[in-house]
Amino acid sequence: MLLRLGTRGSPLALVQANMVRDALLAAHGWAPESVEIVPIRTTGDRVQDRPLAEIGGKALWTKELDRALLDGDIDLAVHSMKDVETIRPETIAVAAMLPRADVRDRLIGAESIAALPHGARIGTSSPRRAAQLRRVRPDLAIVALRGNVDTRRAKVAAGEADATLLAAAGLDRLGYGDVGVAIGVDQLLPAPSQGAVGIEVRADDSMTRIHVAAIGDAVTERCVWAERALLAALNADCHSPVAALATIETDGLRLRAEILNEDGSEHVAVERRNLEGNPHEAAELAQALLSSAPPHLRRLFGH
């Protein structure tokens, strides 16, 4: 058997692809040559000078991999679930997610958000991070900063920004566990699906789907599906400053979420406990957020 595993070609994407490959080999006792990693360059990798929201959103990370998967050039595709659109083609299925890593953001360039100098330039192209930072520090100047982890770290070092936020999971996977300061989720709630790696297959490829399902982590999948159901219920897109985190606790699933306007001046946060994690519960939480939001904030989500 040979499975061709498609991935973006960034250093982090290749690390994650190798994580999936190693998990498949271990789960099935396959020989190393049984899974071939196939790097595919995406539009999101090629276009680095504009925010994703301006040039097509999250599909820029997935459309080339989707095409390769549906054309039969690859058998499965690896994604950071944070970068996967909420609504996916019916012909493609998420077959598994690896155990979730650290969901927090890390601040690069200062010891804390409070320690940032007045008027500091923070590099990010994430609407969520920009809005959250502006909410707690309206004086901060947000500057667009894109690129892979090493590129963004280098831009901060070169003075293009005074600081930036990066996902702790990506830093850890690249061996940068000692870089930056982790910001607690009570201060910056993460993006939905942050820290989760997903594997997609063709929906009608039942054999590959079974092989991949063997490496899935049930807890991660339950939490991430709840967060994605919330996004769907909110009608959120890549322009929408949304944060959400589901965790499993002794009394069931806990789902926290917040929505903000672009400058952070309007903000609504809601949480629910003792949930099962089904779409109906996520829809109820989304409605609670929108019902509490001022009109301008509701309009950002098409309500």
Side-chain angles (χ1 to χ4, degrees):
M1 159 170 287
L2 171 65
L3 286 178
R4 295 157 301 166
L5 188 160
T7 177
R8 292 171 52 208
S10 72
L12 177 57
L14 290 171
V15 166
Q16 294 177 167
N18 276 283
M19 288 166 54
V20 171
R21 176 180 177 272
D22 292 347
L24 286 168
L25 299 184
H28 299 292
W30 291 342
E33 61 271 16
S34 299
V35 180
E36 175 189 359
I37 292 177
V38 181
I40 294 173
R41 188 165 173 80
T42 69
T43 304
D45 294 310
R46 288 193 294 270
V47 181
Q48 295 289 331
D49 59 345
R50 284 169 288 168
L52 291 181
E54 293 182 5
I55 53 175
K58 291 182 177 181
L60 298 175
W61 299 129
T62 57
K63 65 180 181 180
E64 283 89 356
L65 285 163
D66 289 353
R67 187 178 303 117
L69 186 60
L70 295 174
D71 288 348
D73 297 327
I74 58 176
D75 303 297
L76 58 158
V78 180
H79 299 285
S80 293
M81 287 302 297
K82 182 175 69 170
D83 296 332
V84 177
E85 310 99 290
T86 309
I87 306 302
R88 300 292 286 135
E90 292 184 0
T91 48
I92 293 175
V94 178
M97 298 180 205
L98 297 184
R100 197 173 200 173
D102 191 340
V103 301
R104 296 174 296 178
D105 287 320
R106 282 206 201 125
L107 179 65
I108 313 295
E111 289 303 310
S112 67
I113 294 174
L116 289 163
H118 184 84
R121 296 164 303 141
I122 311 302
T124 183
S125 293
S126 161
R128 170 191 65 89
R129 287 171 174 151
Q132 288 175 322
L133 286 168
R134 285 168 167 151
R135 175 174 175 258
V136 295
R137 288 286 306 273
D139 62 290
L140 297 176
I142 305 298
V143 297
L145 195 69
R146 281 200 51 217
N148 63 39
V149 169
D150 287 327
T151 298
R152 282 183 279 176
R153 290 182 65 204
K155 287 181 177 181
V156 171
E160 294 186 31
D162 299 308
T164 189
L165 288 166
L166 296 173
L171 290 167
D172 289 343
R173 289 172 182 148
L174 287 167
Y176 298 145
D178 58 345
V179 171
V181 178
I183 307 298
V185 297
D186 291 334
Q187 186 171 17
L188 288 186
L189 198 66
S193 307
Q194 186 153 309
V197 173
I199 307 101
E200 291 190 322
V201 302
R202 290 182 294 278
D204 62 358
D205 186 353
S206 57
M207 186 57 67
T208 300
R209 195 166 182 170
I210 290 169
H211 288 319
V212 172
I215 65 172
D217 181 77
V219 170
T220 297
E221 291 166 4
R222 184 180 174 194
C223 292
V224 170
W225 284 123
E227 294 164 17
R228 290 175 64 82
L230 174 79
L231 282 179
L234 283 171
N235 193 33
D237 59 23
C238 57
H239 298 268
S240 310
V242 180
L245 178 63
T247 52
I248 305 297
E249 303 187 354
T250 55
D251 59 352
L253 185 139
R254 177 189 182 192
L255 181 57
R256 286 171 278 180
E258 66 178 356
I259 56 176
L260 308 94
N261 66 348
E262 297 93 331
D263 65 6
S265 61
E266 295 178 346
H267 162 265
V268 178
V270 175
E271 77 166 70
R272 294 287 186 272
R273 294 177 180 266
N274 197 21
L275 303 179
E276 294 180 3
N278 60 55
H280 177 70
E281 292 168 332
E284 287 186 340
L285 191 146
Q287 185 56 48
L289 282 167
L290 294 168
S291 297
S292 302
H296 172 69
L297 189 49
R298 286 200 299 274
R299 284 195 293 272
L300 283 180
F301 295 87
H303 294 268

